[in-house]
Amino acid sequence: MQEDFRLILDFVSVLAAAAVGGLFAALLRQPALLGYLLGGMIVGPAGLGLIKELVQIETLAQFGVAFLLFALGVEFSLAELKKVQAIALGGGGLQITLTILVTALLSLGMGWVSTPAQGVFLGAILSLSSTAVVLKCLMERNETETLHGQIMLGILVVQDLALGLMLAVLPALDKPAEAIGVAIALALLKIGLFAAGAVAAGIWLIPYLLRFLAKTESRELFLLGIVALCLGIALLTEHLGLSIEMGAFVAGLMISEVEYADQTLTYVEPLRDVFAALFFAAIGMLIDPIFLWNNLELILGLVCLVLVGKFLIITPLVKAFGYPLKTAIIVGLGLTQIGEFSFVLASEGQFLGLVSRRVYLLILGTTAVTLVVTPFVLRLVPIAFNWIESLPSLKRFFEPMEAPKEVSPEVQQLSEPVVICGYGRGGRNLVRLMQEHKYPVLVIDQSERAIQQLRETQIPYVYGNAASLHVLEKAGVEKAQSMVIAVSDPMSTRLCLKRSLELNPDLDIVVLANTDRDIELLYQLGAREVVQPEFEASLELANHLLSGIGLPASVIQREMEQIRSSHYLDLRPEQGPAQIARDLRTATEVMNSKWYALPENSPLKGMTLEEANIRRLTGVSLVAIRRAEGEEIDYPSEQAQLQEGDRILAVGEPDELAAFNELAKGEVAIPGINTPCQWLLVPEESPAHGKTLAELHLRRQYGVQVQAIRREGKFIRFPDGRAEIRVGDHLLLCGGSYPLRQLQQWLAPETQQSVVAIPIIKAPVSEVLQEYLPLDSQRNGD
């Protein structure tokens, strides 16, 4: 009884340490799994030594990785696996083989090992990557369905399959080649038999079992049944000499094609999260900080060697299979760590005498450090690519990844379609409703399963990433009448919105918000409407209840519209300014963003954002303003006024940011490809002072039009011919570059400003000028 109590105490201690560590990591805005690792290291044998029953805790921790892989299998589909089967099977197998071969040759050549068997063993350890860590990072970033996420998971599944093969071959490494061949043949036979049995069970047994459990209408029985199924198959693979994680993943795959897959995932997710925290804490308990410190230089060298070596093996392999360079680099960086199940191989190798105790500890230390580094690497990847793509000399190497994989023939025949990005449950319902009302619909998605459904139903589609400018161009977004963005990845949602408005500034875009903190940013980036599903469900429930009580429908409708027009502010959790600012920085750090100081004599000074119309002129979105006195306005409204000394956080492409910089300095902005616009200050003794626009005949003499006048805090948009020019006015002049220079010399001969033409917005010049220039001003000679 005392032993049982000791185990319970250890179990609670590990969970508490993981919870505290995860909270600490969250406060530092780091991935939670780093906190779990830190918590385990502190309470483990090398830390405070609070955990006594380490073996039992490690056994319980196996549930964590089993549930992680089981949930992954449920979310995965055979169609998705088929999409990456070539790189998963071919690339994964080559990656393992090359890693073992290169490691064996290098370690023998450098004298790190004394026999080829030891070199092969060391290569096997290094060839495995961490399924649990990579999967956790992808889930936290909502990237499991992205192309690079699918490739990573496909390769990791192959590595997990190979682990069983390695464990079978390991005891025969120091024996004749015939023994190794027999061990490999037996392992492959076991894998083949298991795979055949899994397919048979998935077709003839699992659907009936889940249907029977669901008929009981008992949540407890359904949960017990699927947990027993997951762990039972995982233990079966362990008994066959394969790996637990492979069995759990296969169990999830068997359920993924069954109608109860979503229900299964909902029930298992809480168990997965709790035991995953326990698993990472158990990994942390294996880390010896004192040994790491005493061998810091050697371990850091080994870590660098492993990271660089695996990156140089994996990246060219992914590229060789025809994937874009950017995807290959992300996959290469994501799989550079050593997997947690290399601990199992290392422990077995020490038992067989293939490595000494010190080498074993070095392997553990190197593995632990690579696991800790991985979340930071994956977090920095998008920031690094934003910087790289801002350099014209490097950007061209990454543009091919934007191309769509397939475009259905019907796309060319569509005129002013409704574009729907994302063919999930919401996207399918929207398509059906649009078709019922005879509206032309086009779908953009990058899921093989979704594209196959679109092919079967003959719905026009573009197969590719909706955040890609090339994909949006192929979809004809510039001629679309409206768009709905309903993709699961927040980053893709923001980029899709931003780039769609680059192609069609007047496009009516409705966006599905993935999280509460995305709502304001999406509006700031130009969304016409942002919908938050949970809030909308609350409003519909309230609508029904209030109608039943007897409240007039007009009153209910007015209240609902007020909540929506306030961007659900009444329903959102209250946040302080510091938290809002942190969320904004997190959202924009992976986008092209930059802080600009408003120049002292900027023509934008004193204008509201609505008057400045910066997004239309340059394509840039202003998402924050920091006043000279220290006040910060996050997500400023259209009526927010720009003041002297302001610092502005702008989001846009590099050329858009460059154009905004010119506009803010009063030099130039480009609303159309051939029509530069310039803010010009009318100085004292200007010959234009006191004259009306009709008297100046600027359009007739110079081919230049005055689109706006900024005067003493007032903004005059579309001035007519009766408008009088005064000293101190800021004029927004649009015309050719040479006429602007001539007019500038006449209106303000002392200024030496230059006009630079940088095309930003893709809308035709006639459409842009039509917005800025009314017909009566043309008749008056403006």
Side-chain angles (χ1 to χ4, degrees), residues 308-499:
V308 173
K310 292 190 75 171
F311 174 79
L312 292 178
I313 290 174
I314 295 172
T315 302
L317 274 176
V318 178
K319 187 71 178 74
F321 274 80
Y323 289 95
L325 178 59
K326 184 174 181 179
T327 301
I329 291 175
I330 296 175
V331 173
L333 290 172
L335 299 180
T336 51
Q337 75 289 137
I338 307 175
E340 64 280 344
F341 290 102
S342 295
F343 290 138
V344 178
L345 281 177
S347 178
E348 185 70 16
Q350 184 188 15
F351 175 76
L352 294 173
L354 291 172
V355 294
S356 64
R357 174 67 179 173
R358 185 172 186 276
V359 172
Y360 170 74
L361 291 176
L362 285 173
I363 291 172
L364 291 189
T366 305
T367 303
V369 174
T370 61
L371 292 177
V372 171
V373 167
T374 297
F376 291 106
V377 172
L378 290 177
R379 192 169 185 175
L380 290 174
V381 164
I383 301 174
F385 273 114
N386 275 336
W387 175 79
I388 290 172
E389 291 176 356
S390 67
L391 304 175
S393 58
L394 296 177
K395 183 178 181 179
R396 61 190 179 90
F397 292 106
F398 301 98
E399 286 183 345
M401 78 101 183
E402 305 279 354
K405 295 182 179 179
E406 183 183 343
V407 180
S408 66
E410 302 88 352
V411 171
Q412 302 298 328
Q413 304 169 10
L414 293 178
S415 176
E416 296 186 349
V418 176
V419 179
I420 297 176
C421 303
Y423 197 62
R425 183 179 300 175
R428 288 194 295 271
N429 293 334
L430 284 172
V431 169
R432 180 174 56 82
L433 291 172
M434 292 298 104
Q435 288 181 324
E436 287 178 0
H437 293 279
K438 308 301 181 184
Y439 284 105
V441 178
L442 184 149
V443 178
I444 302 175
D445 205 294
Q446 61 177 348
S447 166
E448 176 65 29
R449 179 193 292 178
I451 294 299
Q452 184 58 40
Q453 292 174 352
L454 292 167
R455 291 192 193 105
E456 293 170 356
T457 53
Q458 296 184 340
I459 296 171
Y461 64 86
V462 176
Y463 186 178
N465 186 358
S468 161
L469 193 60
H470 295 305
V471 169
L472 294 172
E473 287 175 340
K474 282 290 184 182
V477 169
E478 66 276 0
K479 61 182 180 181
Q481 59 177 305
S482 56
M483 172 184 276
V484 175
I485 302 176
V487 297
S488 58
D489 178 21
M491 189 63 223
S492 295
T493 298
R494 299 169 199 149
L495 289 175
C496 179
L497 171 61
K498 183 75 179 61
R499 289 168 177 170

Side-chain angles (χ1 to χ4, degrees), residues 608-623:
T608 64
L609 296 185
E610 182 181 16
E611 293 169 346
N613 209 8
I614 291 168
R615 184 185 299 115
R616 179 72 195 212
L617 286 173
T618 66
V620 162
S621 296
L622 303 187
V623 297

Side-chain angles (χ1 to χ4, degrees), residues 163-176:
L163 176 61
L165 190 63
M166 292 175 186
L167 289 172
V169 172
L170 198 60
L173 274 181
D174 56 350
K175 295 180 180 179

Side-chain angles (χ1 to χ4, degrees), residues 213-366:
L213 290 172
K215 283 182 180 179
T216 65
E217 297 184 359
S218 170
R219 179 187 177 98
E220 293 86 353
L221 287 177
F222 192 90
L223 178 60
L224 282 173
I226 58 178
V227 168
L229 177 68
C230 166
L231 298 181
I233 296 177
L235 289 176
L236 175 62
T237 55
E238 175 73 12
H239 179 71
L240 291 174
L242 305 174
S243 60
I244 286 179
E245 65 274 15
M246 186 188 78
F249 177 75
V250 171
L253 271 184
M254 292 160 65
I255 295 176
S256 65
E257 303 298 327
V258 181
E259 57 184 311
Y260 299 102
D262 291 338
Q263 184 179 352
T264 299
L265 191 62
T266 302
Y267 290 171
V268 170
E269 278 180 338
L271 282 174
R272 177 196 70 189
D273 294 337
V274 171
F275 280 98
L278 180 65
F279 171 76
F280 289 115
I283 294 296
M285 287 189 291
L286 297 175
I287 302 174
D288 185 347
I290 297 176
F291 182 83
L292 289 179
W293 180 256
N294 292 336
N295 297 273
L296 184 61
E297 185 176 341
L298 177 57
I299 288 178
L300 289 180
L302 291 173
V303 167
C304 293
L305 189 63
V306 168
L307 295 180
V308 173
K310 292 190 75 171
F311 174 79
L312 292 178
I313 290 174
I314 295 172
T315 302
L317 274 176
V318 178
K319 187 71 178 74
F321 274 80
Y323 289 95
L325 178 59
K326 184 174 181 179
T327 301
I329 291 175
I330 296 175
V331 173
L333 290 172
L335 299 180
T336 51
Q337 75 289 137
I338 307 175
E340 64 280 344
F341 290 102
S342 295
F343 290 138
V344 178
L345 281 177
S347 178
E348 185 70 16
Q350 184 188 15
F351 175 76
L352 294 173
L354 291 172
V355 294
S356 64
R357 174 67 179 173
R358 185 172 186 276
V359 172
Y360 170 74
L361 291 176
L362 285 173
I363 291 172
L364 291 189
T366 305

